[in-house]
């Protein structure tokens, strides 16, 4: 080989890491562009009142990420002649330089943290798991997002003391550019200002730094649009959100003022569908949101902005960090053990880990269970069904696993366990926020707390019904109480669409013998549901029965379910508000309707 041939081969070898890095980044940039397009379409569909279209956009967006990863992997394997997976794709020299080149490409990128996660996803499809460390993938971030901004700042600022409160609020609303008329914007601004003033004592003296800081773009979800911001006064931050709804004539109105971190947290609750937001620098939005909700981890904020893979990445980093600075052990989660899922937790970490048992108490396949979790992932969770992060190949240190849990893992899920030195690797699991099982909560609750739990339980079911979702197994143990005192459903083995069920009344017995028989005297189809029977399993406790019948007796009547089926089949989307109805401005109008709609 002459010198020119040697030089050419060397140049090709040197160019290969750079070309691979560029190919992966091109895959990510395509993904982010499509995701941004979804958010832009959400605005147009909101302005048209196309609620079903918004739901389709939200569902389609979830699948985008995995599609782009697959496309990128296929391109790399094809164009770079890497051969079949499992062969020597993981060349140390090559992939350390691919990462180094990738970091260089992210120097001026506006979504470097998301691009790093995309890099990890692609590499984890190509490389062996022994290469899953920071030398080859981004176990730790490689590019800082601190102070990262686009040319246009992520939020706007308004000064009410210099330009006047109403003019500042009016400009704040107008700047969002929603292409619909308002029912009565001056009325709404007056209501908004009155609600704001109620949070300050009469004669309160606002300081010279008083300002509204509002994220530049609207947050869309289902039938609502939200302005998210903070009032800054004397260095103190007051978080707020303003829901904007659309009436049946296509006119907009401000529906409420939500003030305080707790109200904002409910909007970003893990049981809700993800927002669609047109944003250029996600990290800037997350930094802003953290000032409103300082106790909410970044992993959940990225997830609620629709970047659920980034949420997974940050959660795993949080878990690794927590394991490094804690000493307690993973234990079997408290509560009644499930027939299908084995659930464990780390007491010092507010999440649960769920795996599908090999030995199950129900005759359903692993594939069916996974499809049920996927169904919920892609569906509107209406604030009442827990979101989950799904992981593969997660190592846990053996020294941190309680012996009882280890015994259960070996007995009930041996096919999911692989031993690697001081760790066991679980090949598949789900992770979700930890809650108090509702059956345990009810056993301890008294008085107003018990009544609140029963009201929340029924409301949770009714909100799921509004989203066309039937829980299937309605036992208390399948619901949990969150720290915000909201009841959320988390057992998805038997969930089904309301429209796929056949809700029936139990026919009267034909003879006295029918009534005494242990077997039903009527036919039962595979999709038949008899709401009258719910009370047999739920209402054995007299205190619970009394409260349930007071607030939710309609759930025991087949007519209630049949009417909801009819409305769903007619294309109606029920109103499910992520804030208390008493906060709505319509209650300030003394009987005048503020319009129709739901968030």
């Amino acid at each position: 080989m002459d010198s020119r041939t040697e030089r050419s081969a060397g140049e090709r070898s040197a160019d290969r890491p750079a070309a691979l890095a560029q190919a992966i980044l091109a895959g990510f940039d395509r993904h982010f562009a499509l995701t941004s397009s979804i958010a832009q379409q959400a605005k147009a569909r909101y302005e048209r009142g196309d609620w079903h279209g918004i739901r389709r956009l939200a569902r389609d967006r979830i699948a985008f990420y995995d599609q782009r990863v697959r496309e990128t992997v296929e391109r790399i394997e094809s164009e770079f002649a890497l051969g079949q997976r499992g062969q020597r794709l993981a060349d140390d020299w090559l992939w350390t330089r691919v990462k180094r080149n990738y970091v260089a490409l992210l120097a001026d990128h506006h979504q470097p943290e998301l691009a790093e996660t995309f890099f990890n996803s692609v590499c984890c499809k190509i490389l062996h798991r022994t290469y899953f460390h920071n030398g080859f993938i981004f176990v730790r971030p490689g590019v800082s997002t601190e102070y990262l901004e686009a040319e246009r700042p992520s939020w706007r600022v308004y000064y009410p003391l210099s330009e006047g409160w109403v003019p500042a609020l009016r400009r704040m609303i107008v700047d969002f550019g929603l292409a619909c008329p308002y029912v009565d914007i001056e009325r709404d601004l007056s209501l908004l200002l009155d609600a704001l003033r109620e949070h300050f004592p009469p004669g309160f003296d606002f300081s010279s730094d008083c300002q509204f800081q509002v994220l530049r773009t609207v947050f869309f979800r289902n039938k609502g649009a939200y302005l998210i911001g903070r009032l800054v006064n004397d260095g103190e931050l007051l978080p707020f959100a303003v829901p904007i709804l659309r009436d049946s004539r296509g006119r907009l109105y401000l529906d409420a003022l939500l003030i305080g971190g707790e109200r904002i947290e409910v909007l970003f609750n893990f049981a809700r569908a993800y927002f669609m937001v047109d944003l250029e620098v996600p990290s800037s939005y997350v930094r802003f949101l953290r000032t409103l909700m300082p106790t909410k981890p970044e992993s959940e904020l990225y997830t609620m902005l629709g970047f659920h893979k980034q949420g997974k990445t940050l959660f795993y980093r949080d878990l690794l960090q927590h394991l490094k600075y804690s000493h307690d052990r993973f234990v079997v989660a408290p509560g009644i053990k499930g027939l299908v899922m084995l659930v464990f937790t780390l007491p010092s970490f507010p999440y649960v880990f769920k795996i599908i048992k090999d030995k199950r108490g129900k005759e359903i396949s692993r594939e069916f269970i996974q499809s049920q979790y996927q169904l919920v992932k892609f569906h509107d969770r209406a604030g009442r069904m827990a979101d989950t992060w799904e992981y593969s190949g997660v190592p846990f240190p053996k020294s941190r696993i309680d012996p009882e849990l280890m015994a259960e893992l070996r007995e009930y899920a041996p096919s999911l366990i692989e031993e690697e030195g001081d760790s066991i690797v679980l090949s598949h699991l789900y992770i979700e926020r930890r809650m108090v099982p509702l059956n345990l909560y009810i056993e301890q609750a008294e008085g107003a707390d018990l009544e609140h739990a029963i009201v929340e339980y029924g409301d949770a079911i009714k909100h799921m019904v509004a989203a066309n979702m039937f829980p299937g197994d309605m036992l208390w143990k399948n619901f949990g109480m969150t720290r915000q005192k909201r009841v959320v459903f988390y057992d998805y083995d038997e969930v089904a669409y309301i429209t796929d069920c056949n809700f029936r009344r139990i026919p009267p017995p034909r003879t006295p013998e029918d009534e005494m028989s242990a077997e039903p005297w009527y036919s039962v189809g595979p999709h038949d549901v008899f709401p009258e029977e719910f009370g047999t399993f739920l209402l054995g406790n007299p205190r619970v029965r009394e409260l349930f019948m007071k607030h939710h007796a309609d759930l025991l009547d087949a007519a209630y379910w049949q009417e909801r089926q009819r409305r769903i089949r007619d294309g109606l989307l029920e109103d499910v508000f992520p804030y208390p109805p008493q906060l709505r401005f319509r209650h300030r109008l003394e009987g005048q309707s503020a319009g129709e709609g739901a968030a």
Side-chain angles (χ1 to χ4, degrees), residues 8 56 132 194 198 341 360 377 487 491 564 574:
S8 175
R56 286 194 297 273
F132 295 179
D194 288 345
E198 290 178 2
M341 308 295 284
R360 295 182 284 276
K377 185 76 173 178
V487 169
D491 190 317
R564 293 309 181 273
E574 300 284 351

Side-chain angles (χ1 to χ4, degrees), residues 277-480:
V277 192
D278 184 15
L279 71 177
E280 187 176 356
V281 182
S283 60
S284 180
Y285 271 59
V286 169
R287 282 200 308 275
F288 187 100
L289 292 170
R290 282 297 301 275
T291 69
L292 313 184
M293 300 169 280
T295 63
K296 204 163 191 66
E298 287 189 7
S299 57
E300 293 186 14
L301 293 176
Y302 272 102
T303 298
M304 291 310 300
L305 290 176
F307 305 114
H308 57 286
K309 294 293 184 180
Q310 184 66 17
K312 286 179 59 175
T313 294
L314 293 175
F315 171 84
Y316 190 64
R317 288 172 180 164
D318 288 344
L319 175 60
L320 293 178
Q321 183 81 350
H322 185 83
L323 287 174
K324 187 173 182 178
Y325 289 97
S326 63
H327 306 286
D328 54 335
R329 289 181 168 185
F330 292 94
V331 297
V332 176
I336 299 173
K337 294 179 180 179
L339 299 175
V340 169
M341 308 295 284
L342 192 160
V343 186
F344 62 96
T345 188
L346 188 67
S348 62
F349 199 56
Y351 295 87
V352 293
F353 305 79
K354 305 170 70 170
I355 62 174
I356 303 171
K357 294 179 178 179
D358 293 336
K359 299 178 181 179
R360 295 182 284 276
K362 295 180 183 178
E363 292 188 7
I364 51 178
S365 69
R366 180 180 300 277
E367 292 73 21
F368 175 78
I369 298 166
Q370 291 176 331
S371 72
Q372 292 290 87
Y373 274 82
Q374 192 78 341
L375 182 154
V376 173
K377 185 76 173 178
F378 281 77
H379 199 75
D380 174 28
R381 293 183 292 280
R384 297 296 187 172
M385 292 181 280
D387 192 16
T388 56
W389 287 310
E390 186 176 6
Y391 287 84
S392 300
V394 180
F396 291 84
K398 292 179 184 177
S399 62
R400 300 293 294 275
I401 299 177
D402 182 79
E404 179 186 353
L405 171 59
M406 183 67 82
E408 292 213 3
L409 289 171
R410 295 189 186 285
E411 179 179 358
Y412 292 106
S415 73
L416 299 181
I417 298 174
E418 181 181 346
E419 302 208 21
E420 285 189 1
D422 295 332
S423 300
I424 64 163
V425 178
L426 297 183
S427 60
H428 183 262
L429 76 159
Y430 299 98
I431 300 173
E432 65 189 35
R433 267 283 186 173
R434 187 169 62 217
M435 294 172 270
V436 179
L438 190 56
N439 60 306
L440 299 184
Y441 185 91
I442 287 175
E443 287 176 7
Q444 303 295 324
E446 298 286 347
D449 287 341
L450 178 60
E451 183 165 15
H452 174 78
I454 302 304
V455 170
E456 272 288 302
Y457 167 79
D459 285 348
I461 293 172
K462 290 175 178 177
H463 291 169
M464 291 175 64
V465 170
N468 192 22
M469 191 62 70
F470 178 56
D473 192 342
M474 293 169 57
L475 295 177
W476 308 105
K477 69 181 181 67
N478 296 327
F479 294 76

Side-chain angles (χ1 to χ4, degrees), residues 43-44 46-48 174 176-182 220 246 250 252:
K43 179 177 182 292
Y46 171 84
E47 292 166 343
R48 295 199 305 268
V174 170
F176 285 100
L178 293 171
C180 299
Y182 280 81
F220 294 101
R246 185 182 184 278
L252 304 180

Side-chain angles (χ1 to χ4, degrees), residues 442 450 454 476 538-539 541-549:
I442 287 175
L450 178 60
I454 302 304
W476 308 105
L538 298 173
L539 307 179
N541 183 322
R543 294 184 306 150
V544 171
R545 170 176 283 276
E546 179 184 356
L547 292 170
F548 185 91
M549 298 305 293

Side-chain angles (χ1 to χ4, degrees), residues 142 234 270 274 365 540:
D234 198 21
F270 65 92
Y274 308 144
S365 69

Side-chain angles (χ1 to χ4, degrees), residues 166-203:
V166 170
L169 291 172
R170 184 187 299 111
R171 195 159 60 87
M172 180 179 77
I173 301 299
V174 170
D175 280 348
F176 285 100
L178 293 171
C180 299
Y182 280 81
V183 175
D184 187 343
I185 188 60
E186 298 305 320
R187 176 205 66 186
D188 290 355
L189 292 174
S190 177
L191 292 168
L192 184 63
L193 186 56
D194 288 345
L196 179 62
R197 283 172 174 159
E198 290 178 2
H199 287 268
F200 299 95

